[in-house]
């Protein structure tokens, strides 16, 4: 029996902004921007004016003067996400969350119980609308990659099914930017060679793509251009990294302010790691500059850890090394991630080189668990606040 299109990619439309429009009827049909100094989300009415996520608030208002700016309500978005994932799990047990507003669902074994995948997708969209009050777009295809592409093409509030017999015809007419991994830099390299569609990529040999993009990217794009994506929908996969970021607006920013922001992010990430029983080895610093370009810098530790002080020392070293770039290009966002996560716990070491702060971490975690995350904070963070805590999928 030939393979069928049984994978759904479900993606909520303009999630934060849609929740605001759902909860406040006065915002419906009007351009809405969530955030202040930086755009966290924009409704489709605002996007039509050119407003984009992560854009500076001043530029966003200049592009869309009639936009209504609302402060984010992270607890409302978290509650909406949980409600939507309940709908997903009521649809099929095979749900792989990608973020709080999107997931892959495998409905291949539900034919006799729930009907065809397109019928299931129709009912899923109706259930999310009825039970949560939000619009959701669904792509249906044979592979995860193509299902995600289909949902992107179908937005907003749409449904697109790509039958296996037409998948290459559908895929090859799309611009190269639809391929996973094709950002501005890769797209520019392809455009320089007059390669603008997925079909043109598919007609190129793998060796040629490797020669211009490198082995990893070349092989990856060659496979996707032929819709080769064997990855199944995986349930219960543990997070491979944990991170946090904070937009800080345009500068200038004093070094002590940058270090304080970094410390707050490390506190947040290390606390999540300990709560999930995870340790990590690779610390990555993410920076966004005034021109919205980004860089990352990383350092791999000798042994995995979740100790705040160890992770903060690594983060400070990375920040110090990046200061010339920051001075030259400005900075609007700092992010931190810890990768190479291990769920086996941390091997105890004799504190011969430095005091062991594991006890301090545990004590602070206990205080925050009982009295709230703001009960104890660093002196450097007093009167600064931690910024917005973006809702995330469970860490474990």
């Amino acid at each position: 029996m030939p393979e069928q299109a049984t994978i759904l990619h479900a993606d909520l439309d303009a999630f934060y902004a849609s929740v605001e429009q759902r909860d406040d009827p006065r915002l419906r049909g009007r351009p809405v921007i969530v955030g202040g100094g930086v755009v966290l989300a924009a409704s489709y009415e605002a996007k039509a004016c050119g407003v984009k996520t992560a854009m500076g608030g001043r530029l966003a208002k200049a592009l869309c003067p009639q936009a209504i700016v609302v402060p984010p309500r992270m607890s409302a978005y978290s509650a909406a996400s949980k409600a939507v994932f309940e709908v997903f799990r009521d649809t099929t047990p095979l749900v792989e969350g990608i973020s709080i507003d999107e997931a892959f669902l495998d409905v291949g074994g539900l034919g006799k119980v729930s009907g065809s995948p397109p019928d299931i997708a129709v009912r899923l969209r109706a259930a999310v609308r009825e039970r949560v009050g939000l619009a959701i777009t669904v792509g249906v295809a044979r592979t995860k990659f193509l299902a995600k592409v289909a949902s992107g093409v179908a937005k907003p509030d749409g449904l697109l099914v790509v039958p296996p017999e037409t998948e290459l015809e559908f895929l090859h007419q799309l611009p190269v930017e639809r391929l996973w991994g094709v950002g501005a830099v890769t797209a520019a390299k392809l455009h320089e060679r007059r390669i603008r569609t997925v079909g043109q990529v598919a007609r190129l040999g793998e060796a040629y793509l490797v020669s211009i993009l490198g082995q990893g990217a070349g092989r990856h794009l060659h496979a996707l251009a032929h819709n080769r994506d064997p990855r199944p929908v995986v349930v219960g996969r543990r997070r491979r990294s944990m991170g946090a970021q904070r937009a800080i607006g345009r500068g200038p920013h004093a070094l002590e302010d940058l270090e304080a922001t970094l410390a707050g992010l490390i506190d947040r990430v290390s606390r999540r790691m300990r709560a999930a029983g995870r340790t990590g080895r690779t610390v990555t610093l993410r920076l966004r500059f005034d021109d919205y370009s980004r860089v990352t810098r990383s350092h791999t530790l000798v042994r995995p850890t979740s100790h705040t002080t160890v992770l903060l020392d690594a983060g400070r070293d990375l920040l110090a090394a990046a200061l010339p770039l920051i001075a030259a290009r400005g900075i609007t966002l700092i992010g931190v991630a810890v990768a190479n996560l291990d769920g086996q716990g941390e091997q105890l070491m004799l504190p011969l080189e430095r005091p062991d702060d594991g006890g301090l971490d545990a004590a602070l975690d206990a205080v925050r668990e009982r009295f709230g995350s703001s009960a104890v904070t660093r002196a450097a963070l007093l009167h600064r606040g931690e910024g917005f805590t973006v809702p995330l999928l469970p860490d474990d």
Side-chain angles (χ1 to χ4, degrees):
M1 178 180 295
E3 290 188 82
Q4 296 181 327
T6 59
I7 294 178
L8 278 55
H9 179 258
D11 193 359
L12 290 160
D13 299 327
F15 180 43
Y16 291 1
S18 294
V19 172
E20 297 299 336
Q21 290 176 319
R22 178 197 67 180
D23 294 347
D24 187 348
R26 295 172 299 177
L27 301 179
R28 295 172 190 170
R30 304 181 67 182
V32 175
I33 295 173
V34 179
V38 175
V39 177
L40 297 180
S43 68
Y44 278 92
E45 294 85 358
K47 289 181 179 180
C49 298
V51 178
K52 299 179 181 179
T53 301
M55 178 179 284
R58 186 175 301 175
L59 175 58
K61 283 294 289 183
L63 291 172
C64 191
Q66 70 275 28
I68 302 171
V69 180
V70 298
R73 299 180 302 131
M74 297 304 176
S75 59
Y77 312 145
S78 180
S81 172
K82 290 177 181 177
V84 170
F85 270 78
E86 288 180 5
V87 177
F88 292 165
R89 285 186 283 269
D90 287 345
T91 302
T92 174
L94 300 179
V95 178
E96 180 181 345
I98 306 302
S99 66
I100 65 165
D101 58 352
E102 65 174 315
F104 289 110
L105 295 81
D106 189 336
V107 298
L110 303 178
K112 294 183 179 180
V113 177
S114 303
S116 69
D119 290 341
I120 294 172
V122 169
R123 290 198 299 272
L124 172 67
R125 296 183 66 239
V128 171
R129 174 79 72 176
E130 179 180 349
R131 292 166 54 176
V132 192
L134 296 175
I136 192 165
T137 296
V138 179
V140 185
R142 185 177 56 86
T143 65
K144 291 168 72 172
F145 159 66
L146 198 58
K148 184 174 176 66
V149 171
S151 69
V153 172
K155 278 184 169 293
D157 194 16
L159 168 62
L160 179 58
V161 180
V162 184
E165 63 271 17
T166 65
E167 60 189 19
L168 292 183
E169 177 185 350
F170 164 75
L171 179 61
H172 286 178
Q173 66 181 330
L174 299 176
V176 293
E177 287 82 358
R178 288 289 184 181
L179 293 171
W180 272 348
V182 176
V185 174
T186 301
K189 290 181 179 179
L190 295 172
H191 290 170
E192 287 174 2
R193 294 162 176 84
R194 299 182 180 180
I195 303 168
R196 300 188 177 278
T197 68
V198 178
Q200 289 175 305
V201 175
R203 288 190 289 272
L204 298 173
E206 182 179 294
Y208 179 72
L209 286 170
V210 167
S211 71
I212 62 175
L213 301 176
Q215 183 171 358
R219 296 179 64 182
H220 171 74
L221 294 192
H222 187 265
L224 293 186
H226 293 85
N227 195 29
R228 292 199 294 266
D229 179 14
R231 298 170 305 156
V233 173
V234 179
V235 179
R237 174 179 290 169
R238 302 198 79 186
R239 190 181 296 274
R240 292 177 292 182
S241 67
M242 294 188 187
Q245 63 183 29
R246 183 173 183 181
I248 56 176
R250 293 182 179 271
H253 299 286
L255 175 59
E256 63 181 15
D257 295 329
L258 299 179
E259 289 185 336
T261 299
L262 176 68
L265 295 173
I266 292 286
D267 282 346
R268 189 183 302 175
V269 172
S270 61
R271 194 158 68 239
R272 284 175 53 205
M273 291 172 63
R274 291 190 294 272
R278 311 294 298 276
T279 57
R281 289 188 60 203
T282 301
V283 181
T284 298
L285 177 70
R286 307 180 191 278
L287 304 175
R288 187 181 69 207
F289 300 119
D290 284 352
D291 61 359
Y292 298 104
S293 63
R294 298 171 181 259
V295 299
T296 61
R297 297 289 185 268
S298 62
H299 173 71
T300 298
L301 304 168
V302 174
R303 61 183 64 90
T305 185
S306 61
H307 284 189
T308 301
T309 303
V310 177
L311 298 174
L312 181 55
D313 284 349
R316 283 172 171 159
D317 289 343
L318 293 170
L319 179 63
L323 287 177
L325 270 178
I326 293 172
R329 301 170 63 180
I331 184 171
T332 59
L333 178 143
I334 298 178
V336 171
V338 180
N340 287 337
L341 295 183
D342 181 8
Q344 304 303 315
E346 186 165 359
Q347 181 178 351
L348 298 178
M349 305 292 294
L350 291 175
L352 300 179
E353 299 180 2
R354 62 181 302 145
D356 178 12
D357 63 353
L360 176 60
D361 283 340
L364 292 175
D365 289 346
V367 171
R368 288 165 173 150
E369 178 68 24
R370 183 171 181 181
F371 298 105
S373 61
S374 61
V376 181
T377 191
R378 296 174 180 270
L381 293 174
L382 286 174
H383 310 301
R384 297 177 188 268
E386 290 191 355
F388 302 119
T389 302
V390 177
L392 301 167
L393 291 172
D395 293 321
D396 54 359

